[in-house]
Amino acid sequence: MSALKIPGHDAPAPGEVALDEIRAVMGDCLRCELGQTRTNIVFGVGNPHARVMFIGEGPGRNEDLQGEPFVGAAGHKLDELLSVAGLTRDEVYIANVVKCRPPGNRNPKPGEIEACSPFLREQVRSVWPDMIVTLGNFASQWLLKTERGVTKLRGALYQVGHFVVCPTFHPAACIYHADWLPLLREDLAMAGAWLRVNPEASDEGVKDGS
Ligand code: URA
């Protein structure tokens, strides 16, 4: 995967590149076929210096129309889940693995994920959170660089370089698997507990996910 070239930054340090500089490089992106059918690029939203970043899969219909991740029903669900971790939306940063809506909400294809990855990587580097909560298979596998499914990964925290990663179910998946919702809540409660006992980033008490 090639590194994203950001004008004016040769080898940017964490937090050096502002999110709007990354968005500017993305431009009116047509790097994959999702660009042909989207209404808006859904880049990401929230606190640019958040301690916690959430990564979803990709925009749905409402997000595509409004240009913002997790709005409407999906947004309300996420807000409710954030509260389980003791978080509010203005404290966190939210992005997706792919930034344009897959038609009909199909799964993103490997080439689409590949095309979008440099932008997500730079967003993570810009925000430089302590913790990243990955919602669902695509985000969890992307960050943990694994093919294991989220049902196997969830329930634990993983240290990936600087970041503590909390892989968990995608809230939308819990519509079809109601028994996953209490597990998703458990994971977010665990994330919240970690944040409370670790005021700064720490390497202790987590699995090595590298
Ligand atoms: N589901 C996602 O994964 N991302 C969104 O932005 C909305 C729904």
Side-chain angles (χ1 to χ4, degrees), residues 43-45 53-56 69-70 93-97 99 120 123:
F43 182 69
V45 74
M53 179 164 175
F54 281 73
I55 304 180
F70 286 95
Y93 187 78
I94 307 170
N96 283 307
V97 172
K99 297 184 174 7
L120 181 57
Q123 282 174 296

Side-chain angles (χ1 to χ4, degrees), residues 23-32 35-36 38-41 100 119:
R23 177 63 189 86
V25 175
M26 185 166 236
D28 195 10
C29 186
L30 289 171
R31 291 168 179 83
C32 81
Q36 310 283 347
R38 68 155 186 259
T39 311
N40 286 297
I41 292 176
C100 297
F119 297 99

Side-chain angles (χ1 to χ4, degrees), residues 187-210:
D187 293 342
L188 289 171
M190 175 177 62
W194 187 91
L195 289 163
R196 279 190 296 280
V197 298
N198 292 277
E200 298 298 329
S202 160
D203 287 352
E204 286 170 26
V206 294
K207 288 184 185 180
D208 184 353
S210 56

